[in-house]
Each structure stands twice: as structure tokens, then as C-alpha cells.
Amino acid sequence: MSMLTPPGMGGKYRITGDKYPRMRRPRRRGRLLLAAVAAVVALGLIGWGTVQLIDVFGGSDDAKKETAAAKHDCPPSPSPSTAAAVAAALPKPAQITVNVYNATPRGGLAKETADELKKRGFAIGKVGNAPEEYDKKVTGNGILLGAPGATRGAFSVLGTQLKGAAQKTDARTTPDVDLILGSTFQTLDPAQQATAALAALGNSAPQPSGKC
């Protein structure tokens, strides 16, 4: 054994002459694994980018479905002719005969209210105390009472003169409407305010629900 041979080493590791055994380094498996992971990530990013480009230029199926559903759910906007027809369907104040009844303990309230409604263009029918079923039993500003057809026009027009009046229908077949004054009634809405409300009612048109 040569003096250069490390203790305990012999055989093929025995150093003789000027030759030395070469020690092989362990393979760097970590580097190979890291390179493989990096390659997989790169391929994934390329695939994801391709899908995004297809969605941008072609539009995804979900987006197309949502757009189609939105178009289906949105009703058509009312045309100017439709709005004009709605306004024309409303009766004029002169076409509405109002019976004014006082259901409060204050005397003369029905006549004062009827006189004011007449100044504002309404036709006046009966004026007096409220029927027994309503006398001293109406809470709030009052009640608008009429045939079922009154809900489609007369109630809306007369309602511009008195905010907070409840609406109720009965079995009558005549076009007249009752205004029964309630316990909190003081006076009709100011004429200027009522005129503006009436004008807004005539100019209004059905609006589609939701955003389209």
C-alpha cells in the first residue's frame, strides 16, 4: 500500500504511483425536478393565455348566454305613441263628477272642499255628510270611492288634489266618484302643487323594470 492511500481504503481505491481515484459527484436531482416543474408551469400559462384570447375575440359561451337572457327579460321600451295613448286615456277633471262627503265632526267641510274642486275644473255632484257606514269612521285624509273602472283613471286624476287618500271600489255602475273626507283632512293640496302633479300624470309613460 502506498503512503498516499488513505487509511482503510484499498482495492480499487488503492493509490499506486501517480494515479488517483476519481470520486463521482452525486447527480443533482433537485435541479432536474425544478426544471420539470418550471416547464409544466410555462405550458400552463401559455394554455391559459390562449383561452383568454379566444374569449376576448370570440366571446365566451357564458357571456353570450347572459346577453341573450338580458335581451329576453327586458321588455320593449314604450313608444311615443304608447305614451300619448296613456295620457289620452286619462279623463279630464271636467269629465269626473265628484260627490263630496264629510265624515268628520267639523261642519261645512264638504261644501268648502266641493267649491275648491269646482274651481279646479271638476264637476260636482252630491255634497253633504258621509253615509252612516263611514261617518266618523274614516282615518287619514280621506277615501276615494267608486266603481272598479275608476281605478284606471278617475282615481288617479282626483288623487292629484289630495295626497294620502285611500282608494276603494263598490258595486256602483255609474262613473261618479265619492270623496269622503277623513279625520286628518285639513284642506286640499295647494292648487299650484296639484296642477303640477296633474301635468306630470298626463306626461308619464310606462317604464320598463330593471336595467336593459
Side-chain angles (χ1 to χ4, degrees):
M1 178 183 299
S2 171
M3 295 180 64
L4 298 178
T5 303
M9 297 184 64
K12 64 179 179 179
Y13 296 105
R14 185 174 183 179
I15 300 174
T16 58
D18 57 355
K19 295 182 178 180
Y20 298 89
R22 294 187 177 183
M23 306 294 289
R24 296 180 63 184
R25 294 182 179 181
R27 295 181 179 180
R28 299 296 181 91
R29 295 183 179 179
R31 291 184 179 179
L32 295 177
L33 180 61
L34 181 60
V37 171
V40 171
V41 172
L43 290 175
L45 290 176
I46 293 173
W48 180 82
T50 303
V51 172
Q52 294 301 313
L53 289 175
I54 293 174
D55 287 343
V56 169
F57 291 102
S60 64
D61 291 339
D62 292 341
K64 292 179 180 179
K65 291 179 181 178
E66 291 177 0
T67 302
K71 291 182 179 179
H72 178 72
D73 293 339
C74 292
S77 300
S79 63
S81 59
T82 302
V86 171
L90 293 172
K92 303 296 183 183
Q95 297 173 312
I96 303 174
T97 298
V98 184
N99 305 313
V100 184
Y101 297 113
N102 183 10
T104 76
R106 291 173 290 168
L109 198 59
K111 186 178 185 307
E112 293 176 5
T113 304
D115 290 343
E116 181 61 28
L117 285 174
K118 186 175 182 179
K119 292 178 182 178
R120 300 183 183 187
F122 290 87
I124 303 300
K126 299 177 182 179
V127 179
N129 294 326
E132 184 178 355
E133 61 179 312
Y134 292 105
D135 192 28
K136 313 294 190 305
K137 300 175 184 177
V138 178
T139 58
N141 281 344
I143 295 176
L144 303 182
L145 182 64
T151 60
R152 296 189 294 270
F155 281 177
S156 298
V157 176
L158 184 56
T160 61
Q161 310 301 305
L162 178 62
K163 291 182 180 178
Q167 299 181 6
K168 186 176 180 180
T169 61
D170 56 18
R172 77 181 70 184
T173 58
T174 55
D176 59 318
V177 177
D178 297 346
L179 171 57
I180 305 175
L181 306 178
S183 58
T184 62
F185 177 83
Q186 296 296 327
T187 184
L188 295 173
D189 293 347
Q192 184 175 3
Q193 180 179 333
T195 300
L198 187 58
L201 180 66
N203 293 331
S204 64
Q207 298 295 326
S209 59
K211 295 182 178 180
C212 298

